[in-house]
Amino acid sequence: MGTVAEQFIEVLRQAGVERVYGVVGDSLNPVVDAIRKTAGIEWVHVRNEEAGAFAAAAEAQVTGRLAVCAGSCGPGNTHLVQGLYDAHRSGAPVLALASHIAGAQIGTGFFQETHPDRQFVDCSGYCEMIGSAEQMPRVLRIAVQHAIGHSGVAVVVLPGDVADMPAAHGTGAHGFLTRQGTVQPPSDQVAELATALNSAEKVMLFCGAGVRRAHEEVMSLAARTLAPVGHALRGKEWIQYDNPYDVGMSGLLGYGACYDAMHEADLVVLLGTDFPYDDFLPGKRTVQIDHDPAQLGRRTPLELAVHGDVSETLLAVLPQVAQKTDRRYLDKMLSKHVKTLDNVVNAYTRDIEHHTPIHPEYVASVVDELAAADAVFTVDTGMCNVWAARYLTPNGRRRVIGSFKHGSMANALPHAIGAQLADRGRQVVSLSGDGGLGMLMGELLTARMYDLPVKIVVFNNSSLGMVRLEMLVDGLPDFGTDVAPVDYAAIAAAIGLGSVRVEKPAQVREALATAFAAPGPYLVDVVTDPDVLSMPPRITAKQVKGFALGAGKVVLTGGVGRMIDMARANLRNIPRP
């Protein structure tokens, strides 16, 4: 039957796992050796276990299947924490193996002793220790099913000596859940929803990531109710494309008429979103539809909570919804959306060929234009979130992955590694800030080691741009946010990556085209303007107080790339008398 470690890997293979991300060492050695001896699964050597957890999270989000990372005892597994928080909050099915010191030494203050069975409880839905061979393979299978079934993180703690023990039971065969059922809403809730939609004169739909696989149903409801459709950041990739009712995004990174449409509506319908910024919600006249009952009403008071998948709920309610005929509210919001974008869109096009440092908005717009139709974009937290929100054009095939709920720095490059290993033939583009890249820069070595064709676009402004903005919002002078300039292209070249440093706007397009055509990993180091979204040097206390909300509505609405073309097209489609 082999060892517990060998049985562990056999169970992972039964679950369809093809790779494990981590750093080899001590208590983890029996597991790594079991991988060596098992066909169909590989060990991916990252430079930091944190990056391994991020990579697993991205792989799981791209494939929809279980992904696995591992850390050896003590500091090896404590490095996993950031990536696991990100995976769990993003709903990525990830299993983490937290190796432990020998069982006889637990509780003695032994070398590298920590308590992973306690440590990972907050960033997982299941966290248990296997203390004997008799617990295998049952506990591991339960952990796998938790990760898949609840779309989150499961952690198995395994002491190194237990991993080396002979297996006590045969592994046998086992079929894991691979496809979940749908949640059908109760009929009385559907009837109440129909009544609310029919009674309201002005309906607005606000969409989150839960509208994935419900695009057609949302469009049908918008057409029936003549409702503007806005979205949260995580909903953008699933709802903004082919959307004649689009009014943009709300939140601190928002743009367009979404905020105004939400606050002028008689009824706001939250569709599959756990949008956390309650200051941007109207706080009244709201119904919410979600497959997770725990999310209903936790952000804002509700007139009605509907428990069900978005697609199933809308299919059930549409036959009961009367066709509205008054387009004045919708047309007003579509017009306002275009006007809002028109007023600011030149922020990234005006005098671009002469402006140095380079406008980061311009770089993002060219990335969007040149990238593949099915590209996966991974996005660092901070200002790269702004560029992704405003300039990456969704089409139903592209993916945008970031630490959007946990907000961890340095996620883009390790996310890109996981996405690329999941599919070497798909274009993967990492939009990295220089702050994020510097934090986990060792993963450039990982990309080189596995010859992954990831394209790393570095927005290099020698500043922590979002933190700088946060300080200004709080009325503080920016301090500790600027760093010494670094030539990341030279660093990339030194370790064998293709690279180029871009300091002039006229060089941007050619550099990106060359990078995207290169067969292996390639880094484009673009020196960008750190002052693009800074506040004026003089600002009153009253203005500071209102800036946190105003930033999301006005100040941060800088150019939005090709979205303005879509908005104008939608406006042209308005029926004329």
Side-chain angles (χ1 to χ4, degrees), residues 319-357:
Q320 303 178 43
V321 178
Q323 177 65 56
K324 295 188 186 298
T325 57
D326 187 348
R327 292 183 55 99
R328 286 177 296 176
Y329 164 62
L330 171 61
D331 293 348
K332 175 183 176 182
M333 290 302 135
L334 292 176
S335 299
K336 190 163 193 173
H337 185 56
V338 170
K339 182 178 179 181
T340 302
L341 301 189
D342 259 333
N343 287 342
V344 295
V345 75
N346 287 336
Y348 79 98
T349 58
R350 185 186 304 116
D351 202 29
I352 57 170
E353 294 184 357
H354 306 288
H355 183 92
T356 56

Side-chain angles (χ1 to χ4, degrees), residues 84 94-98 116 120 123-124 126-128 143 153-157:
L84 293 184
V94 169
L95 176 78
L97 168 58
F120 294 104
C123 60
S124 67
Y126 182 89
C127 182
E128 295 292 344
V153 170
V155 179
V156 173
V157 179

Side-chain angles (χ1 to χ4, degrees), residues 40-346:
I41 189 168
E42 66 173 328
W43 177 262
V44 178
H45 174 66
V46 293
R47 266 50 184 190
N48 187 306
E49 291 88 352
E50 177 182 347
F54 277 126
E59 178 185 327
Q61 290 176 77
V62 168
T63 65
R65 301 192 302 270
L66 181 72
V68 179
C69 57
S72 59
C73 61
N77 63 57
T78 58
H79 284 161
L80 294 169
V81 168
Q82 289 293 8
L84 293 184
Y85 265 107
D86 170 71
H88 194 55
R89 301 190 71 186
S90 297
V94 169
L95 176 78
L97 168 58
S99 188
H100 204 353
I101 62 172
Q105 298 292 348
I106 295 174
T108 69
F110 193 71
F111 175 66
Q112 291 191 328
E113 181 177 3
T114 57
H115 296 280
D117 52 323
R118 305 176 196 171
Q119 176 180 333
F120 294 104
V121 168
D122 192 46
C123 60
S124 67
Y126 182 89
C127 182
E128 295 292 344
M129 185 169 76
I130 296 175
S132 68
E134 285 73 19
Q135 292 174 270
M136 279 287 290
R138 186 181 183 187
V139 168
L140 178 56
R141 283 183 173 144
I142 293 171
V144 169
Q145 200 59 69
H146 266 268
I148 297 172
H150 291 292
S151 297
V153 170
V155 179
V156 173
V157 179
L158 182 64
D161 57 337
V162 176
D164 219 14
M165 290 178 180
H169 308 293
T171 305
H174 183 81
F176 289 99
L177 170 76
T178 56
R179 188 163 59 93
Q180 297 188 36
T182 57
V183 180
Q184 299 284 344
S187 58
D188 61 328
Q189 292 179 10
V190 173
E192 289 184 69
L193 176 61
T195 299
L197 291 168
N198 289 328
S199 301
E201 291 184 10
K202 297 182 290 186
V203 176
M204 189 270 182
L205 309 181
F206 185 69
C207 304
V211 299
R212 184 178 186 177
R213 293 183 289 272
H215 187 279
E216 183 178 349
E217 291 82 1
V218 175
M219 293 300 101
S220 295
L221 181 61
R224 189 73 57 84
T225 58
L226 299 179
V229 178
H231 59 267
L233 178 56
R234 295 181 72 223
K236 174 185 171 72
E237 61 181 324
W238 306 120
I239 204 63
Q240 192 189 39
Y241 68 96
D242 296 337
N243 181 354
Y245 311 98
D246 177 63
V247 290
M249 190 175 87
S250 190
L252 289 172
L253 309 184
Y255 58 84
C258 183
Y259 179 91
D260 296 300
M262 185 178 292
H263 284 75
E264 289 191 30
D266 297 325
L267 183 70
V268 174
V269 184
L270 305 179
L271 297 168
T273 180
D274 189 36
F275 183 73
Y277 304 107
D278 54 351
D279 283 345
F280 288 84
L281 299 173
K284 55 185 177 180
R285 310 182 310 276
T286 302
V287 302
Q288 184 176 3
I289 302 169
D290 207 286
H291 76 286
D292 183 354
Q295 293 190 3
L296 293 169
R298 75 172 180 172
R299 305 299 184 189
T300 186
L302 300 177
E303 292 186 1
L304 174 65
V306 181
H307 180 215
D309 285 0
V310 172
S311 59
E312 296 298 325
T313 302
L314 298 191
L315 284 172
V317 79
L318 275 166
Q320 303 178 43
V321 178
Q323 177 65 56
K324 295 188 186 298
T325 57
D326 187 348
R327 292 183 55 99
R328 286 177 296 176
Y329 164 62
L330 171 61
D331 293 348
K332 175 183 176 182
M333 290 302 135
L334 292 176
S335 299
K336 190 163 193 173
H337 185 56
V338 170
K339 182 178 179 181
T340 302
L341 301 189
D342 259 333
N343 287 342
V344 295
V345 75
N346 287 336

